[in-house]
């Protein structure tokens, strides 16, 4: 039954990248070990570990589901998933500032990227009037003295405009956090995370009126999941998280959930200076840190479970040998 | 015949091509080697939908209305006049206004259109049969406006490992037989599957597009690489 449930969760999470599948793969491998060992205590442990990882993955997709529709238009239909391109202009890694440094790229690529950045800037200028739509992208091309067909450089659909904006937000967040590094180190972890989240959410504030439409345009919560996980990763790196094991995944999953739900909170917040949103972010970060089981040390519930699992496996092997 | 060979999938591929194209109001589009009008009709339909969506919602007189948006047009060029005639008949059958489409008999290597006159250029399952592909690409670049998009839908190399053998078996064993039975012309369909094998793979064809001066060249594989859509832009 464990394998049956794992396979159903696997099917449910087919869109997730390999990182999110690792807990499932680990649970599947250890469940095979369990069936050979027939150690009931180990079986319970694996099941608990698998349940915890499933909860983390599911909690994120539940938080990001958009519940607010733009009042002026009915929500657009969900676009069918596009086949994975093998070579594409829309390289979010590069637009997010990672990957090759500018001087390492051939000149033609640099021209295209600077044009993409210019098109994105123009398109965002039209978003308040035209929304996150094809018209905004076409108008952006016209602003740059190009045929509207050049909007294809930004992507094939309006959801690509939203993703480009999110990638640019991540890039700007990384730069801003690098600058602020020395100041942030003086604050406790909770305050550091809240400050970083606040910076990231403030980038959405200029587009607050149309953000519900942007989320609807994305079509599905998993479409921008990679970008939200990247944002969470940037924040964790900036506050000093150097982990490279399962806690890396846990931290990013939980923080991207906090980020997404705080953005949704912002959409209906009319308090002066968005005070209610910042208070909500504060509460959410407090709960997140409690869930991850860390105050300053990078520990975590899954880390503890993993250690206990290793210890039990070693005990079992020793007892079999002995 | 197309439906039989591709089990109706060619419609999906052409729909994806037009979806990528994203026609906008006032677009001037050129479809080369598309005599029967498959892609052109789809582009026209999407174009009219975009224009209808862009028109102001509230009818009736308003204060100082701006000029009505330009109506887009689609030009179809084909080297074979018989295909153009077939396309005209199909257009009449589908009730398409004859003013919306232009039918031009021309080879892809020498297009009778002025420089910088087209917003976009598509060629679907035709570039394989052009003798001088580089000349066709140069002409495409000449005819496109700055910012114009070149889209090419063509059979390509399969990228999924297990699919290659299945695809070869189907191509060489089944397709000429279908051609022989349905169209009484097995040799043409033998030529068809052989010309597919002779066409360069995705990366080489993308490099040829770049060599012709198109920028931002990318490709998208459909059905595991059986078909690929290559796209490039003219900037200067």
């Amino acid at each position: 039954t464990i394998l049956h449930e794992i396979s159903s969760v696997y099917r449910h999470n087919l869109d997730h990248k390999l990182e999110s599948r690792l807990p499932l793969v680990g649970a599947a491998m250890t469940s095979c070990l369990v069936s050979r060992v027939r150690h009931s205590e180990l079986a319970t442990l694996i099941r608990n570990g698998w349940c915890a990882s499933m909860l983390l993955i599911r909690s994120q997709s539940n938080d990001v589901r958009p519940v607010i529709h733009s009042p002026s238009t009915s929500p657009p239909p969900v676009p069918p998933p596009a086949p994975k391109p093998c070579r594409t202009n829309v390289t979010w890694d590069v637009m997010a500032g990672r990957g090759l440094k500018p001087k390492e790229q051939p000149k033609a690529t640099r021209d295209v990227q600077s044009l993409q950045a210019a098109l994105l800037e123009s398109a965002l200028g039209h978003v308040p009037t035209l929304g996150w739509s094809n018209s905004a992208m076409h108008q952006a091309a016209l602003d740059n003295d190009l045929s509207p067909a050049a909007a294809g450089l930004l992507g094939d659909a309006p959801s690509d405009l939203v993703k480009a904006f999110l990638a640019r937000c991540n890039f700007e967040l990384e730069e801003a956090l690098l600058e602020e590094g020395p100041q942030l180190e003086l604050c406790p972890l909770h305050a550091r995370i809240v400050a970083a989240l606040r910076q990231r959410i403030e980038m959405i504030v200029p587009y607050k009126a149309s953000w519900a439409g942007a989320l609807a345009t994305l079509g599905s919560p998993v479409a921008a999941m990679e970008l939200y996980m990247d944002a969470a990763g940037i924040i964790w790196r900036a506050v000093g998280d150097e982990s490279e094991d399962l806690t890396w995944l846990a931290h990013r999953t939980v923080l991207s959930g906090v980020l997404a739900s705080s953005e949704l909170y912002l959409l209906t917040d009319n308090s002066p200076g968005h005070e209610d949103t910042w208070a909500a972010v504060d509460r959410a970060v407090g709960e997140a840190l409690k869930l991850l089981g860390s105050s300053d040390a990078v520990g975590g519930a899954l880390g503890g479970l993993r250690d206990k699992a290793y210890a039990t496996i070693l005990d079992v092997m020793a007892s079999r040998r002995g | 015949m197309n439906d039989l060979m591709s089990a109706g999938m060619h419609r999906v591929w052409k729909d994806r091509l037009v979806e990528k194209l994203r026609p906008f109001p006032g677009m001037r589009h050129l479809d080369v080697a598309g005599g029967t009008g498959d892609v052109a009709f789809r582009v026209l339909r999407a174009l009219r939908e975009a224009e209808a969506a862009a028109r102001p919602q509230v009818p009736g007189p308003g204060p100082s209305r701006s000029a009505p948006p330009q109506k887009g047009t689609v030009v179809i060029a084909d080297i074979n006049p018989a295909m153009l005639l077939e396309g005209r008949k199909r257009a009449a059958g589908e009730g398409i206004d004859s003013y919306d489409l232009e039918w031009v008999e021309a080879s892809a290597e020498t297009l009778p259109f002025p420089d910088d006159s087209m917003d976009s250029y598509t060629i679907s399952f035709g570039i394989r049969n052009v003798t001088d592909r580089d000349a066709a690409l140069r002409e495409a670049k000449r005819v496109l406006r700055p910012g114009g998009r070149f889209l090419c839908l063509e059979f390509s190399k399969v990228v999924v490992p297990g699919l290659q053998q299945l695809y070869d078996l189907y191509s060489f064993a089944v397709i000429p037989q279908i051609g022989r039975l349905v169209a009484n012309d097995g040799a043409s369909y033998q030529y068809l599957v052989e010309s597919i094998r002779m066409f360069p793979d995705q990366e080489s064809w993308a490099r040829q597009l770049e060599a012709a001066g198109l920028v931002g060249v990318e490709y998208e594989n459909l059905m595991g690489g059986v078909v690929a859509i290559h796209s490039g832009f003219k900037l200067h």
Side-chain angles (χ1 to χ4, degrees), chain B residues 74-119:
Chain B
V74 177
V75 182
I76 304 175
D78 200 304
I79 199 170
N80 187 344
M83 296 284 259
L84 289 170
L85 196 59
E86 181 66 34
R88 266 194 232 256
K89 279 192 223 154
R90 282 188 55 206
E94 293 197 13
I96 293 176
D97 191 359
S98 58
Y99 288 114
D100 288 346
L101 294 171
E102 289 174 34
W103 305 85
V104 175
E105 184 181 337
S107 153
E109 295 155 359
T110 45
L111 293 170
F113 306 110
D115 292 0
D116 295 356
S117 55
M118 300 291 174
D119 284 306

Side-chain angles (χ1 to χ4, degrees), chain A:
Chain A
T1 51
I2 288 183
L3 287 178
H4 174 73
E5 288 177 62
I6 285 172
S7 65
S8 70
V9 170
Y10 196 95
R11 273 197 301 276
H12 172 80
N13 288 314
L14 265 180
D15 287 332
H16 294 213
K17 284 180 65 191
L18 184 62
E19 287 99 77
S20 54
R21 289 188 197 141
L22 280 174
L24 302 173
V25 170
M29 284 168 59
T30 41
S31 70
C32 293
L33 175 69
V34 162
S35 62
R36 291 211 177 91
V37 171
R38 287 178 208 274
H39 198 285
S40 60
E41 193 184 288
L42 189 55
T44 321
L45 203 64
I46 298 303
R47 197 188 163 87
N48 288 342
W50 165 72
C51 282
S53 58
M54 195 179 82
L55 270 172
L56 279 169
I57 290 169
R58 278 213 173 135
S59 72
Q60 191 203 343
S61 45
N62 282 340
D63 282 345
V64 179
R65 199 177 308 283
V67 296
I68 301 159
H69 294 304
S70 159
S72 53
T73 56
S74 57
V78 173
K84 195 168 154 44
C86 304
R87 193 214 251 224
T88 172
N89 285 330
V90 184
T91 45
W92 305 119
D93 272 2
V94 180
M95 287 177 88
R98 283 174 281 143
L100 292 176
K101 298 278 181 301
K103 63 178 179 331
E104 290 171 20
Q105 291 156 347
K107 184 172 180 304
T109 322
R110 265 181 285 147
D111 285 341
V112 167
Q113 278 164 20
S114 59
L115 184 56
Q116 280 176 315
L119 284 174
L120 178 61
E121 189 62 49
S122 318
L124 291 174
H126 289 290
V127 156
T129 44
L130 298 172
W132 301 86
S133 63
N134 284 327
S135 344
M137 296 167 85
H138 290 145
Q139 197 60 41
L142 284 171
D143 289 348
N144 282 285
D145 297 323
L146 292 173
S147 159
L153 276 169
L154 278 179
D156 289 336
S159 57
D160 283 327
L161 177 62
V162 182
K163 288 188 209 171
F165 170 63
L166 288 172
R168 200 179 78 161
C169 281
N170 290 352
F171 181 48
E172 289 174 353
L173 180 69
E174 198 165 13
E175 300 217 298
L177 289 177
L178 269 174
E179 276 176 28
E180 288 188 11
Q183 290 168 21
L184 277 181
E185 266 163 37
L186 301 170
C187 313
L189 180 69
H190 180 108
R192 267 184 273 162
I193 298 180
V194 167
L197 275 175
R198 183 169 168 160
Q199 270 192 308
R200 172 66 172 75
I201 294 170
E202 272 172 353
M203 294 178 189
I204 308 291
V205 165
Y207 305 100
K208 185 176 149 188
S210 55
W211 194 244
L215 291 175
T217 302
L218 275 177
S220 113
V222 298
M225 193 174 75
E226 190 180 338
L227 290 161
Y228 278 93
M229 290 284 264
D230 284 346
I234 288 167
I235 295 177
W236 275 114
R237 255 201 312 278
V239 304
D241 177 20
E242 300 286 345
S243 64
E244 286 174 8
D245 52 8
L246 217 53
T247 54
W248 175 90
L249 179 64
H251 284 210
R252 273 143 193 79
T253 311
V254 170
L255 195 62
S256 60
V258 167
L259 176 59
S261 51
S262 307
E263 275 184 12
L264 288 178
Y265 195 103
L266 178 76
L267 293 182
T268 49
D269 182 15
N270 296 317
S271 58
H274 304 293
E275 300 162 344
D276 291 347
T277 307
W278 311 135
V281 167
D282 211 55
R283 283 194 304 271
V285 168
E287 283 174 21
L289 288 177
K290 243 190 291 184
L291 172 68
L292 295 169
S294 69
S295 51
D296 279 310
V298 178
L302 285 185
L305 269 176
R306 176 208 59 204
D307 292 338
K308 198 162 175 234
Y310 282 166
T312 319
I313 290 172
L314 289 171
D315 283 342
V316 165
M317 284 166 63
S319 68
R320 289 204 113 194
R321 241 183 269 126

Side-chain angles (χ1 to χ4, degrees), chain B residues 134-204:
Chain B
D134 288 321
L137 290 174
R138 279 195 301 272
E139 277 294 280
K141 191 181 177 222
R142 178 185 70 81
V143 144
L144 281 172
R145 282 203 180 109
R149 191 169 194 182
F150 170 90
L151 281 165
C152 164
L153 173 69
E154 192 52 77
F155 290 107
S156 202
K157 297 285 180 284
V158 170
V159 297
V160 174
L163 195 56
Q164 181 66 55
Q165 290 82 357
L166 217 62
Y167 183 50
D168 286 343
L169 185 68
Y170 179 71
S171 300
F172 288 105
V174 177
I175 287 184
Q177 296 303 321
I178 299 178
R180 201 171 52 80
L181 290 168
V182 177
N184 282 328
D185 190 3
S188 299
Y189 291 92
Q190 185 71 27
Y191 160 75
L192 186 142
V193 297
E194 282 170 5
S195 68
I196 291 174
R197 296 297 177 286
M198 295 295 295
F199 194 72
D201 72 338
Q202 283 90 328
E203 268 298 328
S204 318

